[in-house]
Amino acid sequence: MNSNGVVEWAVVESDIGPLLLAATDSGLVSVVFHARPAVRDRALAQLRSRLGAELVESPVSARLAEPIRQFAAYFAGTLRDFSLDLDWSLTSGFNRQVLRELSAGVPYGAVAGYGDLAERVGQPGAAQAVGAAMGSNPLPVVVPCHRVVERDGGLGGFGGGLETKRRLLALEGVLPQPLF
């Protein structure tokens, strides 16, 4: 199998629990929340089948060094904008269009509504489809689906759980930090 067929991965600790980071030759391809063994193993099986790739655990991988450094800086509050090569191969079509708009257009410390994003990609009225795109985001945190909220101020859904979404928004100063 050639080197393109290898996905390197590692689990790193963060303020929101263990994160699985996976990268191909093209860039970071997957971020998985709550990457304890059962979740990690399920995520790795999905990556293997969706990418048709060999998976190699590599916590000192050159491919993962910069993503690991940037995540640490983000959680330390010293990094606001990720500048990583991203491999978008786990998303396509409308979902990819919405996620790219989110990545480019909703900065640190800001939020957008599901309907706003639908309008930005020229699909007004597709707020539910935007919600589905957020749910399918293979690169959460870096592609900041936590910044997409309901129009009435509700948090909306979140693949990592609402407590995780709340903590990310608090880190970015959008919500007050929890008292304990």
Side-chain angles (χ1 to χ4, degrees):
M1 182 176 275
N2 68 23
S3 63
N4 297 348
V6 173
V7 175
E8 294 178 352
W9 65 275
V11 172
V12 297
E13 285 305 318
S14 79
D15 291 8
I16 54 171
L19 297 173
L20 181 138
L21 306 181
T24 65
D25 281 350
S26 303
L28 191 66
V29 71
S30 180
V31 176
V32 178
F33 292 117
H34 314 302
R36 290 171 197 89
V39 170
R40 178 200 67 208
D41 292 349
R42 195 165 52 243
L44 292 172
Q46 284 180 332
L47 280 173
R48 193 174 290 114
S49 77
R50 291 192 58 197
L51 296 172
E54 180 188 344
L55 274 65
V56 177
E57 184 173 11
S58 187
V60 293
S61 152
R63 282 185 201 170
L64 291 172
E66 192 56 17
I68 289 170
R69 189 195 69 74
Q70 289 192 28
F71 268 90
Y74 171 82
F75 285 111
T78 58
L79 178 89
R80 291 178 164 228
D81 297 304
F82 287 91
S83 54
L84 296 170
D85 291 330
L86 301 179
D87 178 335
W88 292 92
S89 60
L90 291 175
T91 184
S92 61
F94 178 78
N95 288 2
R96 183 186 293 191
Q97 185 185 7
V98 169
L99 292 169
R100 282 184 175 269
E101 175 57 36
L102 169 66
S103 187
V106 183
Y108 186 99
V111 292
Y114 295 95
D116 299 332
L117 270 180
E119 282 180 28
R120 290 188 200 192
V121 297
Q123 299 285 335
Q128 278 189 310
V130 166
M134 295 305 108
S136 75
N137 181 7
L139 294 160
V141 185
V142 179
V143 177
C145 53
H146 60 278
R147 297 181 191 150
V148 182
V149 297
E150 293 174 347
R151 187 179 320 141
D152 65 9
L155 283 179
F158 193 62
L162 288 183
E163 184 53 32
T164 299
K165 185 171 189 172
R166 203 173 281 118
R167 290 177 69 177
L168 289 168
L169 290 171
L171 173 73
E172 295 187 6
V174 175
L175 290 175
Q177 287 285 353
L179 295 175
F180 47 84

